[in-house]
């Protein structure tokens, strides 16, 4: 049975932002990933750059969108603290013969973690791939959005690599 309380609820059971003012700033790093299943034919077309778009190449556009999404996390998720990220990177690489693996790493020196920024960055990049490829097929799925690791806060977290 869980005995912890939700952090974004006050004593009157009302939504509240977590007060992080008393915490010491530390370097915090979070990494999240997901998988975009495109199918073999569509993946090969994306990799070959055969999909003309006014937005630009699919992977480059998705990288930019993911970084922009991570920077806007506080505008999307209620009660998230707005963070001035020190760094944010997105990598997109083949994952098998039919999918792409999207990884977002977010870094901040601050009083609160960057897990939500990493998760948002990976997800927005994946959604951008979907958006740019849907003209060719709607049989695309985004799978396994999850935090891989976080460091620098009260408690570090590392997910086993095979998850």
């Amino acid at each position: 049975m869980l005995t912890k309380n939700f952090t974004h609820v006050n004593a009157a059971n009302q939504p509240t932002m977590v007060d992080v003012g008393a915490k010491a700033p530390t370097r915090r790093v979070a990494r999240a990933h997901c998988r975009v299943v495109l199918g073999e034919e569509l993946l090969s077309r994306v990799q070959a750059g055969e999909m003309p778009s006014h937005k630009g190449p699919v992977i480059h556009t998705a990288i930019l969108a993911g970084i922009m999404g991570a920077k806007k996390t506080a505008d999307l998720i209620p009660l998230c603290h707005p963070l001035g990220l020190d760094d944010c990177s997105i990598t997109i690489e083949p994952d098998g013969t039919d999918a792409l693996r999207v990884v977002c790493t977010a870094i901040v020196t601050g009083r609160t973690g960057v897990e939500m920024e990493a998760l948002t960055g990976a997800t927005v990049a994946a959604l951008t791939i979907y958006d740019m490829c849907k003209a060719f097929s709607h049989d695309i799925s985004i799978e396994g959005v999850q935090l891989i690791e976080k460091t620098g806060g009260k408690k570090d977290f590392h997910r086993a690599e095979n998850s």
Side-chain angles (χ1 to χ4, degrees), residues 60 91 96 98-100 117 160:
H60 291 159
T91 59
D98 65 346
L100 293 168
E117 286 72 14

Side-chain angles (χ1 to χ4, degrees), residues 115-152:
E115 303 97 274
M116 296 311 299
E117 286 72 14
L119 287 160
T120 301
T123 304
V124 170
L127 288 168
T128 301
I129 294 167
Y130 186 103
D131 180 53
M132 294 182 74
C133 294
K134 71 182 185 226
F136 299 94
S137 174
H138 284 284
D139 190 18
I140 300 168
S141 63
I142 299 169
E143 302 174 345
V145 179
Q146 58 187 333
L147 183 67
I148 302 168
E149 68 178 330
K150 78 168 201 79
T151 60

Side-chain angles (χ1 to χ4, degrees), residues 20-135:
V20 297
K23 290 182 173 181
T26 59
R27 180 172 174 84
R28 296 160 183 264
V29 178
R31 210 163 42 102
H33 70 182
C34 64
R35 189 168 189 260
V36 183
V37 181
L38 299 166
E40 288 185 27
E41 181 182 345
L42 189 49
L43 175 61
S44 67
R45 292 183 73 180
V46 168
Q47 289 179 298
E50 295 175 5
M51 301 176 61
S53 165
H54 293 297
K55 293 180 184 182
V58 172
I59 291 178
H60 291 159
T61 303
I63 289 168
L64 292 172
I67 293 168
M68 292 169 66
K71 290 169 61 174
K72 290 290 200 177
T73 299
D75 293 336
L76 300 169
I77 313 274
L79 305 175
C80 270
H81 290 85
L83 301 178
L85 296 176
D86 295 336
D87 192 18
C88 183
S89 64
I90 305 280
T91 59
I92 301 173
E93 297 177 347
D95 187 18
T97 60
D98 65 346
L100 293 168
R101 167 109 19 224
V102 178
V103 178
C104 178
T105 303
I107 302 171
V108 71
T109 302
R111 293 179 165 96
T112 189
V114 289
E115 303 97 274
M116 296 311 299
E117 286 72 14
L119 287 160
T120 301
T123 304
V124 170
L127 288 168
T128 301
I129 294 167
Y130 186 103
D131 180 53
M132 294 182 74
C133 294
K134 71 182 185 226

